[in-house]
Amino acid sequence: MATDQVSFTEGELLLDHEMAEPLITGGVRCHGGFDDDGTYVSPRTKFRVPAIHAWQAQNAETFGTETVHVPLDTWPGHVPNVAQARHLITAGVPEPLIATLTRIGTVEGFGANIRLLQPGDMQPHFDEDIRGTAIDHLGKGLFEAHGRDEAGWEEEAGHMDMWFAARDVAFEFPTAKVDIDAMLARMGFGQPGSGPGADLARALPDDIDPNLELIANLMIRVLFIEVQAFHTFAWAEEWLSDTDLVAGDGRAADLVSFIRADETPHVDYLKTALTEMRDRTWIGSGGTKHRGADMIGTLWQRGLDQSLGEGRVQTRKAVLAEVEHWCMEHEGGANILAEFHSLATREDAAA
Ligand SMILES: [Fe+2]
Ligand SMILES: [Fe+2]
């Protein structure tokens, strides 16, 4: 649906397409569904997707600029890699994969925190008019739609439970045998200071509204997580679709492909609103003007450094510790672990 419409109600931005059939997997009623042709349709996209396209086109026309972009290959591939995942499962040590799918679902659930942001009226922060922009709709449907997609809404499961469903389909309800809380605790969840948004140190000039900085900063961090997730989808779909390796006749991989489809509007609205912020003039509390390109550029660089540096080191450490933990629980674990390490991707082994 192409549209010149640039102003939407919250109800419109949260509205589903009409669906011919709901998505139900592993006994879980998920969001989204299928059209008459059996094609998967993401939730809450009837107006949201054309809205994003209209805002992008409008911003390009107003400022003559391109939408911000961050390519997937900014980040290395998933750890463990596909060969390592296959090896662990065939060696009889599926628990690290169960842990990984649980960790991904848990991180998805944290993504819903974006709906806690309170943009309020953003106009006083910007010199240029923001009516009919993505910025102006962040607190009027966009953050809420994002939060519902990640954590679920009413009776429909979102990404968190969809990853858990993929895990349960592929490994036939392993949570009866594995202590999930202990697993998450080992990987650093539930500790103070963990999770997105933990880094609240100011990076922008003092006269920039702290709430605006908080919002732009979290949007950038979430955008980086969302883009990197496409490595995770490709990785998970590859081995979850192998019917000789895991249970579920490929249904777990299908579920991951539906989650992947839902992420595109997240990446797109975040990019669009950040582009609008970059191209505008920011107004400090005393009336001082700042170039949006400097403001977004500063937060962008800091976020990228964190994501490629400390963030990656921590995740990798937690994942490898979990692999080691489970290998050692099994007979011949040392050999299984040695083989696991020998299958490491070169860039990762060097890290
Ligand atoms: Fe998600
Ligand atoms: Fe997302």
Side-chain angles (χ1 to χ4, degrees):
M1 183 166 74
T3 177
D4 294 330
Q5 184 185 347
V6 288
S7 291
F8 300 84
T9 64
E10 176 155 21
E12 285 175 328
L13 293 176
L14 294 171
L15 197 67
D16 273 344
H17 280 280
E18 292 75 30
M19 318 245 186
E21 202 193 317
L23 169 59
I24 299 171
T25 299
V28 179
R29 167 77 159 89
C30 305
H31 66 208
F34 302 93
D35 66 13
D36 290 327
D37 302 329
T39 305
Y40 177 71
V41 183
S42 292
R44 295 172 272 274
T45 52
K46 182 168 182 168
F47 287 90
R48 191 166 41 138
V49 166
I52 293 166
H53 293 152
W55 294 322
Q56 277 186 358
Q58 172 185 255
N59 196 75
E61 202 179 299
T62 307
F63 295 97
T65 57
E66 306 228 334
T67 304
V68 290
H69 180 59
V70 55
L72 177 55
D73 65 11
T74 304
W75 292 272
H78 195 272
V79 179
N81 61 34
V82 172
Q84 289 175 314
R86 283 180 186 285
H87 162 62
L88 289 172
I89 296 169
T90 44
V93 189
E95 293 91 346
L97 284 312
I98 294 164
T100 299
L101 297 180
T102 305
R103 181 178 59 80
I104 297 166
T106 304
V107 171
E108 290 262 24
F110 284 154
N113 284 341
I114 201 156
R115 67 176 8 143
L116 302 178
L117 295 175
Q118 307 223 333
D121 179 10
M122 299 280 265
Q123 185 61 69
H125 303 310
F126 298 99
D127 205 13
E128 298 85 353
D129 198 349
I130 62 158
R131 276 174 300 177
T133 63
I135 296 174
D136 196 30
H137 290 81
L138 291 173
K140 302 172 189 163
L142 289 175
F143 285 153
E144 184 59 29
H146 188 158
R148 292 183 187 189
D149 288 355
E150 306 293 17
W153 179 248
E154 295 184 334
E155 77 276 17
E156 292 178 358
H159 293 169
M160 179 176 73
D161 291 306
M162 288 163 78
W163 278 103
F164 298 158
R167 172 197 68 196
D168 294 344
V169 165
F171 295 103
E172 300 177 298
F173 296 90
T175 47
K177 290 167 276 175
V178 176
D179 184 344
I180 292 293
D181 289 340
M183 195 175 251
L184 287 171
R186 276 196 301 275
M187 290 189 287
F189 288 98
Q191 290 167 6
S194 68
D199 172 16
L200 298 175
R202 293 288 311 253
L204 299 186
D206 288 342
D207 64 323
I208 295 294
D209 179 58
N211 190 43
L212 174 61
E213 177 170 341
L214 177 98
I215 289 169
N217 190 50
L218 187 67
M219 287 170 66
I220 289 169
R221 291 172 62 120
V222 172
L223 173 65
F224 292 162
I225 292 170
E226 297 267 350
V227 172
Q228 274 183 88
F230 283 82
H231 274 316
T232 305
F233 300 132
W235 169 81
E237 284 176 62
E238 192 171 339
W239 61 269
L240 284 173
S241 61
D242 185 340
T243 51
D244 293 330
L245 195 69
V246 295
D249 294 323
R251 280 181 299 128
D254 290 343
L255 207 44
V256 174
S257 76
F258 302 150
I259 298 172
R260 169 164 54 83
D262 300 343
E263 300 297 358
T264 299
H266 297 178
V267 169
D268 285 348
Y269 95 84
L270 289 168
K271 280 181 173 180
T272 305
L274 288 167
T275 302
E276 293 168 352
M277 290 181 184
R278 178 200 66 190
D279 292 346
R280 285 173 163 73
T281 308
W282 295 30
I283 304 177
S285 53
T288 307
K289 294 184 180 179
H290 302 269
R291 284 180 67 232
D294 295 336
M295 303 298 101
I296 293 297
T298 297
L299 297 177
W300 188 275
Q301 195 52 53
R302 185 179 67 167
L304 206 53
D305 290 346
Q306 205 281 335
S307 173
L308 288 168
E310 195 47 38
R312 183 167 167 76
V313 169
Q314 275 178 17
T315 303
R316 189 175 170 278
K317 227 166 99 183
V319 167
L320 294 180
E322 195 62 14
V323 170
E324 203 165 306
H325 172 87
W326 285 108
C327 282
M328 290 315 166
E329 295 280 304
H330 289 262
E331 194 152 339
N335 289 336
I336 298 170
L337 187 60
E339 172 75 9
F340 173 88
H341 286 308
S342 78
L343 292 168
T345 308
R346 184 129 62 107
E347 63 195 1
D348 191 62

